[in-house]
Amino acid sequence: MDLKFSKVTRKGPITTVTLSRPEVYNALHIDAHFELNKVFDDFAADPEQWVAIVTGAGDKAFCAGNDLKWQAAGGKRGWDKGGFAGLTSRFDCDKPIIAAVNGVAMGGGFEVALACDLIIASDNATFALPEPRVGLAALAGGLQRLPRQIGLKRAMGMILTARHVSAKEGLELGFVNEVVPLNQLMETAERWAETIAKNSPMSIRASKQAIEKGLAVSLEQAMTEQREYPAVKAMAASQDYIEGPKAFSEKRAPKWVGK
């Protein structure tokens, strides 16, 4: 695939996707959305890739959101089924995705980060849902994910004021997992990814799916139904399900195969 608006690298079971439109702070337009949707389709379908990291090109921005200049000039808006950046409506990917936020994460850029499972932020990162300032609303997941992740009142405080939030405050609010200096960001994100990849990918996928499906129903229903979730059933039928206890009993590191 010829990539024009992103870059993809792979290191063992870890895929790193870089949003690459630095001239516009990695703001995205329709062509970028469709390209990124294919990139994440490929990641989701690749059995050798277990964890993804998403970051932005340069040292100023993760993603400034929707390319408003493109839109104002008459550029067509829209994205593929995966949503903004191929991620905000991607509800069927059970592989963990980490946002490595290197600077500005505004509007759709913040929504991309919120759609990821973890957010590692550089100390110069800034987050906001500023859509009301330009007559829009954060309908690519921000209005739904932020209240679920940090609570209603805290989310309302950000959304209704459209204010900017620092990485430090993001950590305090609970939507950021770790804050590090910019020059340590990718190293830290990779450390998180490598730590995840030491676990059985079948167990990780089962865990992520059980959490996401379980949060949509009552606690009782989630605990009753979780063993019927597809990723949980796949884990129980996998070679890894046998390998884990066997390796433990033999006092050796497990050899995960992801199936």
Side-chain angles (χ1 to χ4, degrees), residues 215-229:
L215 285 173
V217 298
S218 70
L219 174 62
E220 180 181 2
Q221 184 177 345
M223 292 188 66
T224 300
E225 296 178 351
Q226 63 186 353
R227 292 186 181 278
E228 296 304 313
Y229 296 157

Side-chain angles (χ1 to χ4, degrees), residues 49-149:
Q49 295 301 295
W50 299 353
V51 186
I53 299 171
V54 188
T55 194
D59 57 6
K60 295 180 179 179
F62 172 72
C63 176
N66 180 42
D67 190 340
L68 293 178
K69 290 183 179 179
W70 167 274
Q71 181 179 340
K76 183 180 176 182
R77 285 196 69 188
W79 43 68
D80 209 336
K81 63 183 184 302
F84 200 97
L87 280 178
T88 59
S89 296
R90 186 172 293 274
F91 298 108
D92 59 353
C93 181
D94 300 317
K95 298 178 181 181
I97 302 174
I98 301 169
V101 179
N102 54 316
V104 170
M106 296 289 161
F110 187 21
E111 291 174 299
V112 171
L114 289 171
C116 296
D117 302 297
L118 301 172
I119 298 178
I120 314 303
S122 60
D123 51 14
N124 70 326
T126 306
F127 303 87
L129 294 174
E131 283 87 348
R133 294 184 181 180
V134 292
L136 303 174
L139 299 176
L143 300 182
Q144 307 305 325
R145 285 191 169 98
L146 193 61
R148 285 167 168 79
Q149 293 184 19

Side-chain angles (χ1 to χ4, degrees), residues 186-204:
M186 293 310 297
E187 173 188 342
T188 304
E190 288 170 4
R191 171 172 53 79
W192 278 84
E194 289 165 358
T195 302
I196 292 170
K198 290 179 181 177
N199 301 306
S200 164
M202 303 301 291
S203 297
I204 294 298

Side-chain angles (χ1 to χ4, degrees), residues 94 96 196 199-210 231-232 234-236 238 240-241 244 256 258:
D94 300 317
I196 292 170
N199 301 306
S200 164
M202 303 301 291
S203 297
I204 294 298
R205 292 168 206 164
S207 298
K208 177 177 173 177
Q209 187 177 95
V232 176
M235 175 193 72
S238 71
D240 285 359
Y241 197 71
W256 306 123

